[in-house]
Each structure stands twice: as structure tokens, then as C-alpha cells.
Amino acid sequence: MKSTTDCYDNITRLKEELDTADAVVIGAGSGLSASAGFTYTGERFRQYFGDFIEKYGFHDMYSGGFYPFDGLEEHWAYWSRYIYINRYLDAPNPVYHDLLKLVQDKEYFVLTTNVDHCFQKAGFDKHRLFYTQGDYGLWQCSKPCHQKTYDNEAVVRRMMAEQKDMKIPSELVPHCPRCGTPMSMNLRADDTFVEDEGWHAAAQRYTDFLRRHEEQHILFLELGVGGNTPAIIKYPFWRMTYQNPKAVYACVNLSEAYCPKEIQKRAICIDGDIGKLLCELCLKPNAAAKSQVFHT
């Protein structure tokens, strides 16, 4: 178990890396949004899904999203609430805004598996974002018959306003404008996931960013990335840090901050709450040493 002094030293090191790096690549997982208040259980879940909890016994928002409802009217009553609170409402805590303060004057790029659009809502440049796993704000043909996505905000807001007895009006059920098949979420769950033109353009911008800075002092800043899809962020960050002797890897995660021994000398692993850490980093440089927020 690391000492309090070690934690303070790591905060100072991370602040120095943020200040001096030629480029910052942010890798963001679900832990970042959880720290911002986008939780899928507890009071927030009960507030918006109490009737579904009572009827079906759901324990969390995520698992409820996979339930085989009796009809599409009930399916989209559930999902419209899911989309609305996780995509169109602002996060309760200023975590993403604090992160932007730290990198807005830097060369930065964001790679994220999150699908809640929090980066863009906080003011991050949309041309520096790559949402690899989709977007709650997009629908696609469920077949899919073509590689295109559709904004859902206007219809989702109508679904929220007009649903009754856990069902939306039948005329609001979304169907593909080309083949008539019911629409589905643009979320990577299987091989039907649509990678549209915007997805491919973002992927290319990310590749170009890495190429421009590949031999420079890069900070790979991993925030809240778990073990579900390590091949998207975690493993590539480790590999690129290992290959570039000027690179530094930083991992901030509650109880899951670690790295392989091959890059330990150029790694900063902090076991703590991301929101509290980012708040600390936004303070004056000498304030970080006074923090009492991390585990001893």
C-alpha cells in the first residue's frame, strides 16, 4: 500500500507532465463519467426508473437495457429515459470541465469508450474526440441495411414527454427510413455496429495525431479505464509508452491503477477519485501537496 507521501509525489509528477508534455492523449473510460455523477445504480436509477424496478426487479440501469420487453413501445419508453438522462442532461459534477482546464492550451486528443457525449458538452473540441463505441445520441438501422446514423434528440424528448404507463405512442417507435426495420442504438454490442463517416473521420484524426507526435514527449493519460475492453485504450497506451522513450503513462483509477513493470519508471499510477484529483490539479501548483483526498 502506497504512503500518503507517494500519492502527493505522484500528483506533483502528473502536474509537471501536464505542464511540460508536447502532447496529451487522454484515454477515458466509464470511471470518468462515474466520477462526474453519471451513475447507473442507486438513487439516480430509482429516481428515473422506479416503475421499471417495481415491475421487473432491475438492479441497475445497464442490465435493464438488455431486457426483452413485450413490445417496442415499452422498449423505447425505457431507452428514451436512459438516453435522456445519460446524453442530454449535464453531468452533476464538474469533472469534465476541470479536465478541459488542464489541457485546453495543450496539443491534446481524446480516445474514449464512453458514449454519453460529456466531452463535447463540456467544451472539448469535437475534432479532437474519437468515440470508439458509439453515441447515445445516435440511432442506426438494426440490420443494418446501410452505414449511416441518425440524431435522436428531438424524438427522444417527445418520447419522454408523451410516454404513459411505461409505453410510448406507437407512432414514435423509430424505423429505418430506407428499409423500415426498427432502429437500434448506435452502440458497439455486436457486428451490427455502424461505423459511419463521422466515426471513420475521427479515427483518422486520431491516427494522424499520434503520427505527428510519435517521437515527442507524450503524456498518455488514462482515466477510469477498467478491464472490459483493455485492447482499445489500456494496452495501446502501454505499448506506445514502451516504444517511445520520451513518453509517460499516467493511470488514475479507484483501486485499479497499475501498469506493467516494463514501463514503471515512466509511469504514474494514482489510486483515487478522478474528480478530486482533477480538482487538485486545477489548483495552484503548491496546493497539491496539501491534499487529503487519496488513500493511504
Side-chain angles (χ1 to χ4, degrees):
M1 185 173 291
K2 291 187 176 182
S3 69
T4 303
T5 301
D6 289 335
C7 290
Y8 295 157
D9 288 345
N10 278 335
I11 295 171
T12 300
R13 287 180 61 203
L14 181 53
K15 176 62 176 176
E16 291 174 351
E17 292 298 333
L18 282 165
D19 289 343
T20 61
D22 297 314
V24 179
V25 182
I26 298 168
S30 60
L32 183 62
S33 284
S35 182
F38 272 6
T39 54
Y40 285 49
T41 58
E43 180 56 34
R44 185 169 180 264
F45 179 44
R46 291 189 293 270
Q47 177 185 353
Y48 290 99
F49 295 92
D51 48 358
F52 282 94
I53 295 171
E54 182 177 356
K55 181 176 180 179
Y56 293 110
F58 295 154
H59 296 290
D60 63 87
M61 206 179 307
Y62 182 78
S63 60
F66 293 96
Y67 189 82
F69 295 105
D70 290 337
L72 290 174
E73 290 82 2
E74 192 175 29
H75 171 90
W76 285 112
Y78 186 91
W79 267 99
S80 61
R81 300 185 202 181
Y82 197 126
I83 298 165
Y84 177 73
I85 67 172
N86 294 308
R87 175 63 169 76
Y88 298 117
L89 293 185
D90 291 333
N93 305 324
V95 172
Y96 283 87
H97 291 86
D98 287 343
L99 180 57
L100 179 59
K101 291 177 186 176
L102 293 167
V103 301
Q104 60 188 354
D105 296 325
K106 304 287 295 185
E107 276 284 296
Y108 74 84
F109 203 99
V110 175
L111 174 69
T112 182
T113 54
N114 295 343
V115 293
D116 50 31
H117 216 61
C118 282
F119 282 101
Q120 206 158 325
K121 286 189 291 185
F124 282 78
D125 181 352
K126 66 180 181 180
H127 295 104
R128 301 186 186 193
L129 304 175
F130 180 23
Y131 291 85
T132 64
Q133 304 297 80
D135 184 343
Y136 282 144
L138 298 175
W139 285 332
Q140 64 170 71
C141 175
S142 58
K143 279 188 176 179
C145 70
H146 63 297
Q147 297 294 302
K148 184 177 179 181
T149 58
Y150 299 85
D151 292 337
N152 63 30
E153 181 174 5
V155 181
V156 164
R157 290 185 182 275
R158 283 193 62 191
M159 289 177 175
M160 286 290 294
E162 298 179 30
Q163 64 180 257
K164 184 179 180 181
D165 298 328
M166 301 167 59
K167 293 182 180 180
I168 64 165
S170 296
E171 62 267 23
L172 292 183
V173 173
H175 292 84
C176 175
R178 295 196 183 181
C179 72
T181 300
M183 298 286 256
S184 63
M185 298 298 299
N186 181 232
L187 302 175
R188 192 186 298 278
D190 53 34
D191 60 4
T192 65
F193 176 69
V194 167
E195 297 176 355
D196 63 8
E197 290 182 5
W199 189 97
H200 285 286
Q204 188 60 54
R205 288 194 295 269
Y206 178 57
T207 299
D208 292 344
F209 184 90
L210 294 175
R211 185 181 298 112
R212 289 199 307 272
H213 300 286
E214 62 184 350
E215 296 182 357
Q216 295 181 350
H217 175 191
I218 303 178
L219 172 62
F220 291 99
L221 178 59
E222 181 191 298
L223 302 172
V225 176
N228 288 338
T229 53
I232 297 175
I233 296 173
K234 189 178 291 291
Y235 293 169
F237 276 21
W238 289 353
R239 174 180 53 78
M240 290 185 288
T241 301
Y242 178 75
Q243 291 174 342
N244 178 2
K246 296 180 181 178
V248 173
Y249 168 76
C251 174
V252 185
N253 210 325
L254 196 59
S255 303
E256 292 188 52
Y258 60 93
C259 71
K261 63 181 181 179
E262 288 83 358
I263 62 170
Q264 280 181 349
K265 291 182 179 180
R266 289 184 286 116
I268 304 168
C269 295
I270 300 177
D271 176 1
D273 182 87
I274 299 169
K276 293 179 180 179
L277 170 69
L278 295 177
C279 183
E280 282 295 312
L281 292 171
C282 287
L283 299 177
K284 295 179 182 179
N286 62 356
K290 301 177 181 178
S291 171
Q292 297 295 323
V293 302
F294 291 97
H295 304 301
T296 59

